[in-house]
Amino acid sequence: MANTDYTLMRGAQGAISANKVLKNTYMLLAATLAFSAVTAMLSMALQMPPMVYMGAVIVSMLLGIFVLPKTANSASGIGVIFGITGLLGFGLGAILNVYMALPNGPETVALAFGGTALIFLGLSGYALTAKRDFSFMGGFMFAGMMVVMLAIIANLFLAMPALSLAISSAIILLMSGMILYDTSRIARGEEDNYIMATYSIYLSIFNIFISLLQILGIMGDD
């Protein structure tokens, strides 16, 4: 009887801890997305050149690999993740200026934004309500990312619109899987660091948005 009570208590404590991580993750995610929007608008107002995007991606990648994991368990991790997402937003602003200048540019950006929101909300809602274990997807997504990276490198030389479309579509599928994977891990109590969880989900949303922009641009002959 005592063992049963102890098991139930541990289960309840685990659920409370998972809910806390989930709440903190979504709060931080909302804040970083809002901050990215502000830096993107600043970049657009300053008319930053498209090359700023690549620089922002490279610097934010280095911060995410070498700095964030070392600070994720401290208060300084909050500053680092805002720095990363702010940089990505600033780089995104330079890309948005290019799209906004194209025919039907504002509609393309709006569709990409709406599509990204629907994908994220739909997948997150499903992961939380279904309460399934999506850990089996980890290996498939890793292999898929390796294939996509090779295709991206190849397309640097081939510059084929059809291959670009395939790459963007594959990235959307992979990032959608990452949202299911990350949300499931948080809900099941397997992820206890909300800063790293926020970083992973933010990158999935960011890449889905960029890929949708590229697909809509290609489909619209832009």
Side-chain angles (χ1 to χ4, degrees):
M1 185 66 178
N3 287 337
T4 302
D5 291 340
Y6 178 70
T7 301
L8 290 173
M9 184 179 297
R10 287 193 62 185
Q13 289 175 344
I16 292 172
S17 177
N19 288 334
K20 183 179 180 181
V21 173
L22 186 65
K23 178 183 177 182
N24 289 339
T25 298
Y26 282 152
M27 288 177 62
L28 184 57
L29 180 64
T32 52
L33 288 172
F35 185 60
S36 292
V38 172
T39 58
M41 289 187 289
L42 175 62
S43 178
M44 294 176 72
L46 295 173
Q47 294 291 314
M48 301 305 296
M51 63 182 298
V52 169
Y53 171 74
M54 186 56 66
V57 169
I58 292 173
V59 174
S60 62
M61 186 184 300
L62 292 174
L63 289 173
I65 295 174
F66 298 107
V67 180
L68 186 62
K70 297 179 180 178
T71 60
N73 292 312
S74 63
S76 58
I78 300 292
V80 174
I81 195 168
F82 271 100
I84 292 172
T85 55
L87 276 172
L88 289 173
F90 193 78
L92 179 62
I95 297 297
L96 291 178
N97 270 337
V98 175
Y99 277 91
M100 293 294 282
L102 297 172
N104 301 318
E107 291 83 354
T108 298
V109 173
L111 280 173
F113 177 80
T116 302
L118 285 175
I119 290 172
F120 169 66
L121 293 174
L123 292 174
S124 294
Y126 175 73
L128 291 174
T129 54
K131 297 181 180 179
R132 291 181 57 188
D133 183 3
F134 291 98
S135 59
F136 67 91
M137 298 175 63
F140 294 108
M141 289 185 293
F142 178 78
M145 284 307 300
M146 293 300 100
V147 173
V148 167
M149 289 301 297
L150 291 174
I152 290 173
I153 294 172
N155 206 37
L156 291 175
F157 302 96
L158 300 174
M160 297 171 56
L163 183 54
S164 295
L165 183 62
I167 291 171
S168 296
S169 300
I171 289 174
I172 291 175
L173 289 175
L174 288 170
M175 294 302 104
S176 296
M178 282 299 299
I179 291 174
L180 287 173
Y181 178 79
D182 288 330
T183 306
S184 172
R185 290 189 72 244
I186 298 170
R188 293 168 61 84
E190 296 168 3
E191 175 60 78
D192 57 3
N193 190 303
Y194 70 93
I195 294 179
M196 294 304 297
T198 298
Y199 176 63
S200 182
I201 295 175
Y202 177 94
L203 288 183
S204 296
I205 294 172
F206 183 87
N207 283 303
I208 288 173
F209 180 70
I210 289 292
S211 298
L212 280 176
L213 273 179
Q214 293 173 338
I215 290 174
L216 292 171
I218 293 172
M219 298 297 288
D221 294 327
D222 293 336

